[in-house]
Amino acid sequence: MSAEEGPAALTNAPVIGPAPSTVTQEERTQKLLEDLEKIPLFMTHLPDTDEPNLAVEALKSLASDEPPLEVATNLKAEGNDSFKRGKFTEAAQYYAKALDYDHDDKSLKVALLINRAAANLELQNYGMVLRDCADALRIRPNTVKALFRSAKACVALEKFEEARECCKWGLNIEPQNKELAAMQTQVEEAVARHERRAREREERGRQKELAREQLKQAIEIRSELVFDTSSDKKKRSEDTPVSYPWENDSERQVELDRDSGHLLWPVFFLYPESKESDFVEKFDESLTLRDMLTEVLAEPPRWDSRQQPKYTLDNVDTYFLSRPVGGFDEDERLVKVSMDARLGVILNNEKYVIRDGIPSFIVLPRNDSFTSQFIERYRKLRQTQEAASKITTD
């Protein structure tokens, strides 16, 4: 080979031997895993097919031939591992499966029962906890862990006497057991909390009944108040503790201010033009409609014009609808009321009927086409009723 021929000859020379592989190491590893998956001994899951696989069936047969005690022991170990990882439902399932296997090892059965009880404690399945602990105690009455877990479940279920008995029983077996001693203290603390809450509920109930009776007396003094519960009766059931006409089945109730002796009424202000309303939770009967509307209409309502608001204190009038007790919509009359009248005086007016314990007032803008139409509608309704009444009389 001449010096001139050397480089060219090497460059153009044919490649001798196998060509370099283009498959990466990762791809080769994946291919190996896929091939191993086809071998039953190395399968991580059963094949998704209806065709029988003799090798797989043989392995399943070998597994089923394991002694029940060994299978149960292995499942217990799986359950323990799941429990340590915080997978309590999974752990309970492993323990349950292990308990399906029949064998004579009482210690293992007890361990499985109290372990499943521990998992169900974490899951707050307290009834299951008590059943498993009871089964464990039937096999071995001195199983302290079963007594401890029973006590915890009983406290959660507010079965305090049973919890006390569990602690007492366990400490008779192991007087120095610190967990049980601490549990006994927790039981007594839980009992004290429960009794304190019961006393507080009883006191709240007593105060509520006292306030209810005082309110009854205050309303009876205002003998001219008229109530109609006809529209609310259909909402009430036999279990609803509503017995006075000023009560309803909502939380919006008249109250008595014990300091002033005034009634505080829930009141609606209705705006029929916009089909909107304002609710006043506690309207003192000594205040006037103007007093309350000064606050309610301090700023133009969101549904009113911002540039030229109609619903301002100096541009509205107030009304109420008067309808006899048990009357119908066609019996309603629109009554104008001074904004300077006190709420208590208005409610004592013979024409005012308090419906379902919540007074309401209509607010209309002055010199307005909607107001004119609204008032005219009730004027015509009155005229129609008066004409019908005259014909009946004649």
Side-chain angles (χ1 to χ4, degrees), residues 1 3-16:
M1 181 186 298
E4 289 82 4
E5 290 175 336
L10 290 173
T11 302
N12 299 319
V15 176
I16 300 174

Side-chain angles (χ1 to χ4, degrees), residues 24 135 146 160 183 210 253 255 278 300 305 323 334 361 376:
T24 65
D135 288 342
F160 300 118
M183 189 70 237
L210 176 61
Q253 309 273 355
E255 297 179 13
D278 280 315
S305 169
R323 185 174 69 190
L334 187 65
F361 295 92
E376 180 65 14

Side-chain angles (χ1 to χ4, degrees), residues 286-333:
S286 66
L287 298 178
T288 66
L289 296 184
R290 184 182 301 277
D291 292 331
M292 191 53 63
L293 284 173
T294 298
E295 295 183 24
V296 172
L297 299 178
E299 294 183 6
R302 56 180 174 75
W303 36 264
D304 195 9
S305 169
R306 291 289 176 181
Q307 289 72 33
Q308 295 180 319
K310 294 191 295 183
Y311 288 84
T312 58
L313 190 63
D314 57 357
N315 193 51
V316 295
D317 288 316
T318 48
Y319 303 78
F320 66 82
L321 288 175
S322 175
R323 185 174 69 190
V325 174
F328 300 96
D329 290 347
E330 54 267 28
D331 298 322
E332 286 184 332
R333 300 290 179 266

Side-chain angles (χ1 to χ4, degrees), residues 57 64 101 109 159 164 181 203 221 226 233 243 254 282 301 350 372 383:
E57 295 302 319
S64 65
Y101 286 86
K109 288 181 180 178
K159 296 177 177 287
R164 282 170 168 162
E203 178 60 20
I221 292 172
V226 179
K233 281 179 181 176
S243 57
V254 61
K282 297 179 181 181
E350 61 180 6
S372 299
Q383 289 177 343

Side-chain angles (χ1 to χ4, degrees), residues 142-187:
N142 63 344
T143 307
V144 172
K145 284 186 177 180
L147 293 166
F148 174 76
R149 285 162 193 170
S150 292
K152 289 190 75 171
C154 285
V155 169
L157 295 171
E158 296 187 349
K159 296 177 177 287
F160 300 118
E161 286 305 314
E162 291 89 336
R164 282 170 168 162
E165 286 299 316
C166 289
C167 292
K168 182 180 177 181
W169 184 355
L171 288 170
N172 283 338
I173 298 168
E174 292 184 15
Q176 305 303 317
N177 189 300
K178 293 182 179 180
E179 280 192 324
L180 268 175
M183 189 70 237
Q184 191 175 50
T185 301
Q186 290 174 28
V187 170

Side-chain angles (χ1 to χ4, degrees), residues 29-92:
T29 301
Q30 182 61 33
K31 180 66 167 59
L32 176 61
L33 291 174
E34 290 173 358
D35 290 341
L36 286 173
E37 189 65 32
K38 298 174 184 177
I39 303 172
L41 188 61
F42 297 100
M43 283 181 176
T44 58
H45 62 275
L46 293 178
D48 223 358
T49 176
D50 293 332
E51 296 182 7
N53 186 317
L54 296 180
V56 170
E57 295 302 319
L59 285 174
K60 289 169 67 177
S61 176
L62 283 173
S64 65
D65 288 340
E66 289 181 0
L69 178 61
E70 185 175 340
V71 176
T73 302
N74 291 338
L75 287 169
K76 174 177 175 286
E78 293 289 345
N80 292 347
D81 182 62
S82 295
F83 189 94
K84 290 175 184 176
R85 290 184 288 114
K87 296 183 177 293
F88 304 116
T89 300
E90 185 177 280

Side-chain angles (χ1 to χ4, degrees), residues 312-369:
T312 58
L313 190 63
D314 57 357
N315 193 51
V316 295
D317 288 316
T318 48
Y319 303 78
F320 66 82
L321 288 175
S322 175
R323 185 174 69 190
V325 174
F328 300 96
D329 290 347
E330 54 267 28
D331 298 322
E332 286 184 332
R333 300 290 179 266
L334 187 65
V335 180
K336 188 174 182 180
V337 58
S338 169
M339 284 202 300
D340 294 315
R342 291 194 303 275
L343 177 63
V345 173
I346 300 170
L347 298 185
N348 276 295
N349 186 294
E350 61 180 6
K351 293 182 180 180
Y352 200 99
V353 178
I354 302 169
R355 305 196 182 282
D356 305 330
I358 305 179
S360 62
F361 295 92
I362 293 172
V363 181
L364 295 171
R366 295 172 186 160
N367 305 317
D368 183 80
S369 59

